Amino acid sequence: MSDSQDTLFSKIIRREIPADIVYEDELALAFRDINPQAPVHILVIPKQPIPKLADAVPDDHRILGHLLMTVKRVADQEGLANGYRVVINTGEDGGQTVYHLHLHLLGGRPLAWPPG
Ligand code: 5GP
């Protein structure tokens, strides 16, 4: 892994900084966002970093599918039977701040549309 891919999320994967981890398997990790925007706000990340969705290549299709299925699994685990939102901020205009691909799972209240 190159240094440029070693964000704070890689440090969370390696347990070098603490996080409230709610799910883990061999490919993915899910933990609560430090600055939650909804009663449930969880980040789902691949253990093998991809900086942003725009950098994904066709060979990434399995991990991308796995991440979505992990969001569904965690949403079920969190009891979000009334619905939820999944967000991927990508690049500068997308508002991305951490360059390790992550899916935001937001739920626990009605969410407005469109987003800002
Ligand atoms: P982005 O803006 O890149 O889509 O989302 C990055 C998210 O990471 C933000 O929602 C932010 O609150 C969250 N975040 C940033 N630093 C930390 C941290 O150290 N721990 C946790 N759990 N979340 C973080």
Side-chain angles (χ1 to χ4, degrees), residues 8-9 12 17 19 31-35 41 43 89 95-98 102 104:
L8 62 93
F9 288 176
I12 288 174
I17 60 174
F31 52 94
R32 295 190 194 282
D33 197 291
I34 205 168
N35 183 23
H41 187 173
L43 303 174
N89 296 326
Q96 186 173 3
T97 59
V98 179
H102 48 283
H104 295 258

Side-chain angles (χ1 to χ4, degrees), residues 1-99:
M1 181 194 314
S2 73
D3 285 349
S4 65
Q5 291 187 314
D6 198 33
T7 68
L8 62 93
F9 288 176
S10 291
K11 293 183 171 66
I12 288 174
I13 292 169
R14 297 196 300 264
R15 306 316 202 255
E16 291 171 9
I17 60 174
D20 185 356
I21 293 168
V22 297
Y23 176 79
E24 179 171 24
D25 61 28
E26 68 279 8
L27 298 174
L29 188 73
F31 52 94
R32 295 190 194 282
D33 197 291
I34 205 168
N35 183 23
Q37 302 302 312
V40 175
H41 187 173
I42 290 168
L43 303 174
V44 175
I45 67 172
K47 287 189 170 174
Q48 191 65 43
I50 299 168
K52 61 185 185 297
L53 185 60
D55 297 324
V57 296
D59 274 357
D60 291 325
H61 76 276
R62 283 183 189 279
I63 183 61
L64 294 176
H66 183 75
L67 294 171
L68 268 182
M69 289 307 296
T70 300
V71 168
K72 175 189 144 49
R73 175 192 284 255
V74 173
D76 289 347
Q77 189 176 294
E78 293 288 317
L80 298 177
N82 213 39
Y84 51 87
R85 184 170 293 163
V86 184
V87 173
I88 302 176
N89 296 326
T90 304
E92 192 177 346
D93 278 3
Q96 186 173 3
T97 59
V98 179
Y99 281 79

